[in-house]
Amino acid sequence: MIHVMRIVMQPARRSEKDVDQHYQDTIVNSVVFDDHADLLDASTVAQLKELFPDGQAQMWGIVPGKKNVNVSRINKMRPGDWVFFSGDKRVYLGGTIALMWRNRELATRLWGTDTAGSTWEYMYALSGTRGFDIPVEEVRTLLGWNPNRNIMGITVLSDEESDTLQTLLTLDAATAALDPVDTIEEEAAVAAFDGELERTAQRAQRGEQAALKKRLLNSSTGQCALCGRTLPGTFLIAAHIKKRAVCSDDEKRDLANIAMLACTFGCDAVYEHGYIQVATGGAIRVSPLALGIPEVEAYIQERLAGRTVTWWTPKRESYYRWHRTHTFKDVPPA
């Protein structure tokens, strides 16, 4: 069976003392596998150590719920899915489910039990976690939810909803214990698919993009807003500072401020995938997560570190701020 990466909404309100303590114990401070080898079965330890060679990982868990209400939802979750932690009206943490297992004894040791005597025994390890600061109201709007809908329990989004958030927030899947058979089945499905593989761009959007680039590039050459290199226009694109798909109509028409020239030699990619941000005032700041990718780190250090983006202005700050809170790969909140 082909598994599409879904997004799981994990309620975890840190304003509640117990939840924040759990977060401190197993997210801020990773769980060391050898400390709990007496409660982990050998196969789980082996998989964890393969996924996390340093011998530790961030962990979370889910209670079965009254009359096992959560179990059917948990059964929809798979390694490779993305999890958003939400609480106090904001999404504040995200990461990839690397491994899932059930262990009541370990959950009780790590987190104790709730008032009903239940514990968070459906456990998972997280990889590639990063911080966010997204109002839940914005998630509701993006997914077309009822304005009063709240994330009350563990929620697995539909494929369509997951795809929407994955695309709009540039979510990159991290390490996970995926079944290698999935790759074979996915390739077979693509080969057998006889529908359209490309979506036809709307004429209005093409016209908008052309108008943007023409406004930004008034000669045959232009300057990349990020690295500052002057390059032929062929190697520069009109890059939206805030992702176009979530811009309002007025923002899309704000041609003077919504986009910047970015070169295709690397600047557009590292910005689009959140490895750099433009801080208030224009200073470029580098994601700590870039350190784990030598080629990305080398490019940033050579071309971008220490630079100030002259394209930044107070009128563009709201767009750069959106990128900082939604796309920039920030460290998880402590």
Side-chain angles (χ1 to χ4, degrees), residues 180-206:
V181 174
D182 285 353
T183 301
I184 298 172
E185 292 184 352
E186 287 169 4
E187 290 178 354
V190 171
F193 181 68
D194 60 0
E196 291 185 10
L197 290 175
E198 304 292 343
R199 296 179 182 177
T200 303
Q202 295 180 3
R203 183 174 300 175
Q205 184 172 341
R206 290 201 303 268

Short mmCIF file of all heavy atoms in Angstrom, two decimals, residues 180-206:
data_model
loop_
_atom_site.label_atom_id
_atom_site.label_comp_id
_atom_site.label_asym_id
_atom_site.label_seq_id
_atom_site.Cartn_x
_atom_site.Cartn_y
_atom_site.Cartn_z
N PRO A 180 10.72 -0.01 2.61
CA PRO A 180 11.29 0.19 1.28
C PRO A 180 10.38 -0.28 0.16
O PRO A 180 10.53 0.14 -0.97
CB PRO A 180 12.58 -0.66 1.32
CG PRO A 180 12.37 -1.64 2.43
CD PRO A 180 11.52 -0.93 3.43
N VAL A 181 9.41 -1.13 0.47
CA VAL A 181 8.47 -1.59 -0.56
C VAL A 181 7.67 -0.42 -1.10
O VAL A 181 7.25 -0.39 -2.25
CB VAL A 181 7.53 -2.68 0.01
CG1 VAL A 181 6.47 -3.06 -1.01
CG2 VAL A 181 8.35 -3.90 0.42
N ASP A 182 7.45 0.63 -0.25
CA ASP A 182 6.68 1.78 -0.68
C ASP A 182 7.24 2.39 -1.96
O ASP A 182 6.51 2.79 -2.85
CB ASP A 182 6.64 2.85 0.42
CG ASP A 182 5.71 2.48 1.56
OD1 ASP A 182 4.99 1.47 1.42
OD2 ASP A 182 5.71 3.19 2.55
N THR A 183 8.56 2.49 -2.05
CA THR A 183 9.20 3.11 -3.20
C THR A 183 8.86 2.34 -4.47
O THR A 183 8.53 2.93 -5.51
CB THR A 183 10.72 3.16 -3.01
OG1 THR A 183 11.00 3.90 -1.83
CG2 THR A 183 11.40 3.81 -4.20
N ILE A 184 8.93 1.01 -4.42
CA ILE A 184 8.62 0.18 -5.58
C ILE A 184 7.17 0.38 -5.99
O ILE A 184 6.86 0.55 -7.17
CB ILE A 184 8.89 -1.30 -5.26
CG1 ILE A 184 10.38 -1.50 -4.93
CG2 ILE A 184 8.47 -2.18 -6.42
CD1 ILE A 184 10.71 -2.88 -4.41
N GLU A 185 6.27 0.39 -5.03
CA GLU A 185 4.85 0.54 -5.34
C GLU A 185 4.56 1.93 -5.91
O GLU A 185 3.74 2.09 -6.81
CB GLU A 185 4.01 0.28 -4.09
CG GLU A 185 4.06 -1.17 -3.63
CD GLU A 185 3.14 -1.44 -2.45
OE1 GLU A 185 2.60 -0.45 -1.90
OE2 GLU A 185 2.96 -2.60 -2.09
N GLU A 186 5.24 2.96 -5.36
CA GLU A 186 5.02 4.31 -5.86
C GLU A 186 5.48 4.43 -7.30
O GLU A 186 4.82 5.05 -8.13
CB GLU A 186 5.75 5.31 -4.96
CG GLU A 186 5.07 5.51 -3.61
CD GLU A 186 5.92 6.29 -2.65
OE1 GLU A 186 7.01 6.75 -3.05
OE2 GLU A 186 5.50 6.45 -1.49
N GLU A 187 6.64 3.84 -7.63
CA GLU A 187 7.14 3.89 -9.00
C GLU A 187 6.18 3.17 -9.95
O GLU A 187 5.93 3.63 -11.06
CB GLU A 187 8.53 3.26 -9.07
CG GLU A 187 9.60 4.09 -8.39
CD GLU A 187 10.96 3.43 -8.44
OE1 GLU A 187 11.05 2.26 -8.89
OE2 GLU A 187 11.95 4.07 -8.03
N ALA A 188 5.62 2.05 -9.50
CA ALA A 188 4.67 1.31 -10.33
C ALA A 188 3.41 2.13 -10.57
O ALA A 188 2.84 2.14 -11.67
CB ALA A 188 4.33 -0.03 -9.68
N ALA A 189 2.98 2.85 -9.52
CA ALA A 189 1.77 3.66 -9.65
C ALA A 189 1.98 4.80 -10.64
O ALA A 189 1.09 5.12 -11.43
CB ALA A 189 1.37 4.21 -8.28
N VAL A 190 3.17 5.42 -10.60
CA VAL A 190 3.46 6.51 -11.55
C VAL A 190 3.48 5.97 -12.97
O VAL A 190 2.95 6.58 -13.90
CB VAL A 190 4.81 7.18 -11.20
CG1 VAL A 190 5.21 8.15 -12.31
CG2 VAL A 190 4.71 7.90 -9.87
N ALA A 191 4.09 4.79 -13.16
CA ALA A 191 4.18 4.20 -14.50
C ALA A 191 2.80 3.87 -15.05
O ALA A 191 2.55 3.98 -16.26
CB ALA A 191 5.05 2.94 -14.46
N ALA A 192 1.89 3.46 -14.16
CA ALA A 192 0.55 3.05 -14.61
C ALA A 192 -0.41 4.22 -14.75
O ALA A 192 -1.47 4.10 -15.36
CB ALA A 192 -0.03 2.04 -13.62
N PHE A 193 -0.04 5.38 -14.20
CA PHE A 193 -0.93 6.55 -14.21
C PHE A 193 -1.06 7.11 -15.63
O PHE A 193 -0.05 7.39 -16.28
CB PHE A 193 -0.38 7.62 -13.26
CG PHE A 193 -1.24 8.85 -13.18
CD1 PHE A 193 -2.49 8.80 -12.60
CD2 PHE A 193 -0.78 10.07 -13.68
CE1 PHE A 193 -3.27 9.94 -12.50
CE2 PHE A 193 -1.56 11.21 -13.58
CZ PHE A 193 -2.81 11.15 -12.99
N ASP A 194 -2.29 7.29 -16.11
CA ASP A 194 -2.47 7.78 -17.47
C ASP A 194 -3.10 9.16 -17.52
O ASP A 194 -3.53 9.63 -18.58
CB ASP A 194 -3.30 6.80 -18.30
CG ASP A 194 -4.70 6.58 -17.70
OD1 ASP A 194 -4.99 7.19 -16.65
OD2 ASP A 194 -5.47 5.80 -18.28
N GLY A 195 -3.15 9.84 -16.39
CA GLY A 195 -3.69 11.19 -16.35
C GLY A 195 -2.63 12.23 -16.65
O GLY A 195 -1.49 11.90 -17.00
N GLU A 196 -2.97 13.50 -16.50
CA GLU A 196 -2.03 14.58 -16.74
C GLU A 196 -1.01 14.65 -15.61
O GLU A 196 -1.36 14.63 -14.44
CB GLU A 196 -2.76 15.93 -16.84
CG GLU A 196 -3.62 16.06 -18.09
CD GLU A 196 -4.22 17.45 -18.20
OE1 GLU A 196 -3.80 18.34 -17.44
OE2 GLU A 196 -5.10 17.64 -19.04
N LEU A 197 0.27 14.72 -15.96
CA LEU A 197 1.33 14.82 -14.96
C LEU A 197 1.68 16.27 -14.66
O LEU A 197 2.37 16.56 -13.69
CB LEU A 197 2.59 14.09 -15.44
CG LEU A 197 2.48 12.57 -15.48
CD1 LEU A 197 3.73 11.97 -16.09
CD2 LEU A 197 2.25 12.00 -14.09
N GLU A 198 1.23 17.18 -15.49
CA GLU A 198 1.52 18.59 -15.29
C GLU A 198 0.21 19.36 -15.18
O GLU A 198 -0.78 19.06 -15.85
CB GLU A 198 2.33 19.17 -16.47
CG GLU A 198 3.63 18.44 -16.75
CD GLU A 198 4.65 18.62 -15.65
OE1 GLU A 198 4.50 19.55 -14.85
OE2 GLU A 198 5.59 17.81 -15.58
N ARG A 199 0.23 20.38 -14.32
CA ARG A 199 -0.92 21.25 -14.21
C ARG A 199 -0.69 22.49 -15.08
O ARG A 199 0.38 23.08 -15.05
CB ARG A 199 -1.14 21.69 -12.75
CG ARG A 199 -1.45 20.54 -11.82
CD ARG A 199 -1.62 21.04 -10.41
NE ARG A 199 -1.88 19.95 -9.48
CZ ARG A 199 -1.99 20.11 -8.17
NH1 ARG A 199 -1.86 21.29 -7.63
NH2 ARG A 199 -2.23 19.06 -7.39
N THR A 200 -1.69 22.87 -15.83
CA THR A 200 -1.56 24.03 -16.69
C THR A 200 -1.62 25.29 -15.84
O THR A 200 -2.56 25.50 -15.08
CB THR A 200 -2.70 24.06 -17.72
OG1 THR A 200 -2.65 22.85 -18.47
CG2 THR A 200 -2.54 25.25 -18.65
N ALA A 201 -0.61 26.14 -15.98
CA ALA A 201 -0.58 27.38 -15.21
C ALA A 201 -1.67 28.31 -15.70
O ALA A 201 -1.96 28.39 -16.89
CB ALA A 201 0.78 28.05 -15.35
N GLN A 202 -2.28 29.01 -14.79
CA GLN A 202 -3.32 29.95 -15.16
C GLN A 202 -2.68 31.17 -15.82
O GLN A 202 -1.64 31.65 -15.41
CB GLN A 202 -4.10 30.39 -13.91
CG GLN A 202 -4.88 29.26 -13.26
CD GLN A 202 -5.63 29.73 -12.05
OE1 GLN A 202 -5.62 30.91 -11.71
NE2 GLN A 202 -6.30 28.81 -11.37
N ARG A 203 -3.37 31.68 -16.84
CA ARG A 203 -2.83 32.81 -17.59
C ARG A 203 -2.59 34.02 -16.69
O ARG A 203 -1.58 34.73 -16.82
CB ARG A 203 -3.80 33.17 -18.72
CG ARG A 203 -3.29 34.31 -19.61
CD ARG A 203 -4.22 34.52 -20.78
NE ARG A 203 -4.32 33.33 -21.61
CZ ARG A 203 -5.15 33.21 -22.65
NH1 ARG A 203 -5.94 34.21 -22.97
NH2 ARG A 203 -5.18 32.09 -23.35
N ALA A 204 -3.49 34.28 -15.76
CA ALA A 204 -3.35 35.43 -14.87
C ALA A 204 -2.08 35.33 -14.04
O ALA A 204 -1.37 36.30 -13.82
CB ALA A 204 -4.57 35.55 -13.96
N GLN A 205 -1.79 34.11 -13.55
CA GLN A 205 -0.60 33.93 -12.74
C GLN A 205 0.66 34.13 -13.58
O GLN A 205 1.62 34.74 -13.14
CB GLN A 205 -0.57 32.55 -12.09
CG GLN A 205 0.61 32.35 -11.15
CD GLN A 205 0.53 31.05 -10.38
OE1 GLN A 205 -0.55 30.46 -10.27
NE2 GLN A 205 1.64 30.61 -9.85
N ARG A 206 0.65 33.61 -14.82
CA ARG A 206 1.80 33.82 -15.69
C ARG A 206 2.02 35.30 -15.94
O ARG A 206 3.14 35.80 -15.95
CB ARG A 206 1.59 33.08 -17.03
CG ARG A 206 1.66 31.56 -16.91
CD ARG A 206 1.96 30.94 -18.27
NE ARG A 206 0.97 31.34 -19.27
CZ ARG A 206 -0.13 30.64 -19.54
NH1 ARG A 206 -0.41 29.54 -18.87
NH2 ARG A 206 -0.98 31.05 -20.48
#
